[in-house]
Amino acid sequence: MPPQFLLFSQISFLMHSNMRTVKALFSVGILTVSCLAANPPAEQNEVNQVIQAALQPSPLQDNLRRLTDEIGGRVPGTRAMQHAIQWGMQAFTAAGADAVHTEGFELPNSWSEGATEMTATTAHLISNASLGGGTSLSTFPVHAVSVAWAPALAPVKHVPIVDVGEGTEAEFAKAGDIAGKIVLVHSHVLKTWADLFAEYAVAPPIIDLAVKGKAKAIAFIATREHDILYRHTNAVAGEIDRLPMVVIAREDGERIGRLLAAGNLVWADLSIPNQIGGPAKTSNVIAELRGSEKPDEFVIIGAHLDSWELGTGALDNGCNAALVVDALRAIKASGVTPKRTIRFVLFSGEEEGLLGSRAYTYGHRPELDRAAGVIIYDSGTGKTTGFSIGGRKDYLPIAKALISPLEQFDVKDVKLDMEWGMDHFDFMLEGVPTFVADQEEANYLENYHAVSDTYDKVDFPQLKKHVAEAAALAIELANLPQKIGPRLSRDQIEQTMRDTNSLDELKAFGIWDDWVNGRRGRQK
Ligand SMILES: [Zn+2]
């Protein structure tokens, strides 16, 4: 769900971001290539067979209903996530997989929120002498949730709140001494991918300043209106953050801001009893349709199965986990045999830093030369407009040709963008050809990671089209005479980073160091 609409110049100020579920991108603009004839007629028929099979009635809705309503939000390390993994295995088996298995990995810490509580108290003068004059106190509840993977805070009382505006260095300086206080950070209402990108980008420097000033905690005003709260994290690899932090309802936060601006003192009582434990075990779920001619070569179609838990993770990303299952069903039901193996992967640990797909690429490095493409969906059910292919000019023309059967769904664009924040990322850093679905915002952003991300928000007619797109692209990649592109060498990968003007962003996100030191990406 990348902010692919952002140009490099627009995002270059967003330094020090460690944005996660947001899809950063390093845009070089859209290249268009005249459409090639995608396939000879016989193969075109096979693609159409798969598309038709995808559009037939299926268990898609019921699968997603069970995942979201019955199992609910799915944080790795919880029972719900374990149930979701079982759901994935059963759903793949029922869809007709040749084989299904799980591959386990660990997050460095488990984390769950307790009963976060916050109240604010303000003092105001009573000027009417007949009421006795003097000072009166008012107390009101503040709707608050902990930021994910943030530390706990034992109950504190009467802690002064200090307004630091939007949290720039100048505004922190103007706020004066913040030691032992709760800093209130303002925000803008979220409307576009660019806004979401900015929300992630601004947090780390704010945390730096709050830590430096020895603040007690940070209260980020929510970017959604109407008391909607959402789970946010600034951790990049499941590590525990440096300071207790909450997201507070926009209405409560703005009220506190107005009180402070009018000269009233405001104090808070705050308790954040997060439960933090040792390493959390979780698993990716992998199903296969075996290739008839080149079974050792493989295409991956993937989506993350984990989610945050305030809502039930329907748009992010249950709908696309159900899509992956239904794509398997559609290909199987079409009667078209893939020549290469297709792996259908439900990743875990995405929300904590792409940990499942990262673990997968580490574990499968020896066979990544045989990877023939990775397709990822991770932006709710807004209409697919095209695919981003991670700077791979070498297969741009053929990619354009492969999506030509999807023009009936208005899928038209192939972009060279290198994006971050989705499960294709570590495959891209390993030189494997990737396809990330670019989608319209639709209702994704207002419900993003929020209490309102539930089954009723899913656009099923649109999701069915996405099943058709994903299944069609997977069978095309699996049945091309030659793999769509080679696995790039380390030097070639680095060249695509340069060609797409990605270096500044990779450095800002802390990925460049990992790349240079060989902790992430292709080794040679
Ligand atoms: Zn997601």
Side-chain angles (χ1 to χ4, degrees), residues 349-365:
E350 191 272 351
E351 297 291 4
E352 292 74 29
L354 308 173
L355 302 179
S357 47
R358 194 171 170 179
Y360 190 93
T361 56
Y362 281 26
H364 291 264
R365 251 182 196 151

Side-chain angles (χ1 to χ4, degrees), residues 21 23 304 306 315-317 350-351 378-379 421 444 448-449:
T21 307
K23 297 50 188 179
H304 69 89
D306 66 296
L315 292 176
D316 188 10
N317 193 29
E350 191 272 351
E351 297 291 4
D378 189 7
S379 303
Y444 188 76
Y448 176 73
H449 291 179

Side-chain angles (χ1 to χ4, degrees), residues 235-439:
V236 290
E239 79 281 10
I240 300 300
D241 221 322
R242 293 167 288 167
L243 201 64
M245 289 174 249
V246 285
V247 172
I248 65 174
R250 188 162 190 85
E251 287 71 15
D252 298 330
E254 292 294 340
R255 179 180 177 185
I256 294 169
R258 285 191 299 273
L259 285 166
L260 291 168
N264 302 65
L265 295 175
V266 186
W267 305 268
D269 293 354
L270 179 60
S271 171
I272 316 175
N274 296 335
Q275 289 130 35
I276 293 163
K281 288 188 194 315
T282 189
S283 301
N284 298 325
V285 184
I286 299 102
E288 277 192 3
L289 289 177
R290 284 209 190 91
S292 58
E293 293 180 15
K294 297 176 179 173
D296 293 341
E297 294 185 0
F298 58 94
V299 172
I300 286 177
I301 165 168
H304 69 89
L305 178 61
D306 66 296
S307 76
W308 293 118
E309 83 298 14
L310 293 173
T312 59
L315 292 176
D316 188 10
N317 193 29
C319 61
N320 292 317
L323 170 155
V324 170
V325 171
D326 215 45
L328 189 156
R329 176 205 61 80
I331 293 170
K332 186 83 175 181
S334 73
V336 177
T337 309
K339 295 188 170 102
R340 296 182 180 82
T341 294
I342 305 177
R343 295 182 185 168
F344 301 80
V345 186
L346 303 179
F347 295 107
S348 184
E350 191 272 351
E351 297 291 4
E352 292 74 29
L354 308 173
L355 302 179
S357 47
R358 194 171 170 179
Y360 190 93
T361 56
Y362 281 26
H364 291 264
R365 251 182 196 151
E367 61 170 357
L368 290 183
D369 286 348
R370 300 196 298 272
V374 174
I375 305 163
I376 297 290
Y377 269 79
D378 189 7
S379 303
T381 50
K383 185 166 83 174
T384 311
T385 54
F387 291 88
S388 289
I389 59 172
R392 293 290 300 259
K393 288 184 201 141
D394 60 312
Y395 65 79
L396 180 67
I398 185 72
K400 197 82 184 166
L402 290 185
I403 68 163
S404 65
L406 309 182
E407 260 184 54
Q408 60 187 300
F409 305 121
D410 285 339
V411 178
K412 289 174 182 156
D413 298 331
V414 179
K415 297 181 183 177
L416 283 174
D417 303 339
M418 289 188 98
E419 298 172 2
W420 188 48
M422 284 180 284
D423 286 310
H424 73 295
F425 186 71
D426 282 279
F427 291 97
M428 190 170 75
L429 289 189
E430 292 284 350
V432 172
T434 56
F435 289 79
V436 177
D438 292 328
Q439 295 174 244

Side-chain angles (χ1 to χ4, degrees), residues 107-131:
L107 282 72
N109 297 98
S110 63
W111 183 94
S112 67
E113 186 178 30
T116 298
E117 283 184 19
M118 185 170 177
T119 56
T121 300
T122 186
H124 56 100
L125 290 174
I126 296 173
S127 51
N128 188 335
S130 68
L131 294 175

